[in-house]
Amino acid sequence: MGIEEQDQQWMAHALNLACRAEEEGEVPIGAVVVKDGVVIGEGWNRPIALHDPTAHAEVQAIRAAAIKQCNYRLPGSTLYVTLEPCTMCAGAILQARIERVVFATTDPRSGAVESQFQLLNHAEFNHRCRVDSGPLAAQSAALLKQFFRKRRNSPSTRVS
């Protein structure tokens, strides 16, 4: 299986986790950390359920991977995430020393990898990540748009 096929497979896994977040009423974002072809951590957005503003999908996946590896550093790993990471998540990715990040769709408002900032490849940091984007971008973007459309049209979230 080539890199592109693997990226599609792991992003599909992350997209399934995003659907789990949506089922729980969270913004549908999912993430999976893979090393040597094996999942070592996964997560989905849970800030509402956990009453924790840091409980983004990427942070959840990184925490799970670090516990599984018994190491706060995750060299040689790849993080797959359905939406471009924010500044907080980019910082966690750098601290974990993740080697590669693959995200599905950009976040034009707060993306910190390509859209607003390029933190994962900033010259001043002592760690940089290889970054790829695009696998299952249309599906991820559609899931997010559908989620927010439903939320805007819900009687319980309308502003009167």
Side-chain angles (χ1 to χ4, degrees):
M1 184 181 304
I3 295 282
E4 254 183 57
E5 293 168 311
Q6 288 176 21
D7 288 350
Q8 294 281 334
Q9 171 194 338
W10 296 122
M11 193 59 74
H13 185 93
L15 204 50
N16 285 335
L17 295 169
C19 291
R20 186 165 176 180
E22 181 180 34
E23 289 167 7
E24 294 179 10
E26 304 274 3
V27 176
I29 301 170
V32 60
V33 180
V34 176
K35 185 173 181 179
D36 300 325
V38 176
V39 172
I40 60 170
E42 59 184 31
W44 55 94
N45 261 14
R46 302 203 65 216
I48 297 167
L50 298 178
H51 310 289
D52 179 357
T54 70
H56 289 195
E58 300 95 321
V59 172
Q60 298 293 93
I62 290 167
R63 285 175 178 159
I67 289 168
K68 185 165 187 167
Q69 296 295 108
C70 296
N71 193 344
Y72 71 112
R73 304 283 198 214
L74 302 170
S77 64
T78 299
L79 172 73
Y80 293 89
V81 61
T82 58
L83 183 66
E84 178 182 2
C86 69
T87 55
M88 177 186 68
C89 293
I93 290 163
L94 290 170
Q95 292 300 316
R97 303 297 194 264
I98 289 173
E99 182 176 313
R100 181 173 177 239
V101 172
V102 180
F103 66 88
T105 192
T106 58
D107 184 351
R109 296 176 77 190
S110 59
V113 176
E114 287 182 2
S115 298
Q116 292 295 326
F117 306 101
Q118 294 77 43
L119 293 180
L120 298 185
N121 288 299
H122 195 283
E124 295 298 316
F125 296 139
N126 65 347
H127 178 72
R128 288 168 197 76
C129 297
R130 187 171 135 216
V131 175
D132 294 297
S133 62
L136 304 183
Q139 294 91 324
S140 179
L143 181 63
L144 286 160
K145 285 177 188 169
Q146 173 188 341
F147 174 82
F148 287 113
R149 188 177 309 118
K150 281 184 197 171
R151 189 174 260 189
R152 279 190 302 275
N153 293 330
S154 171
S156 63
T157 59
R158 278 195 206 138
V159 177
S160 22

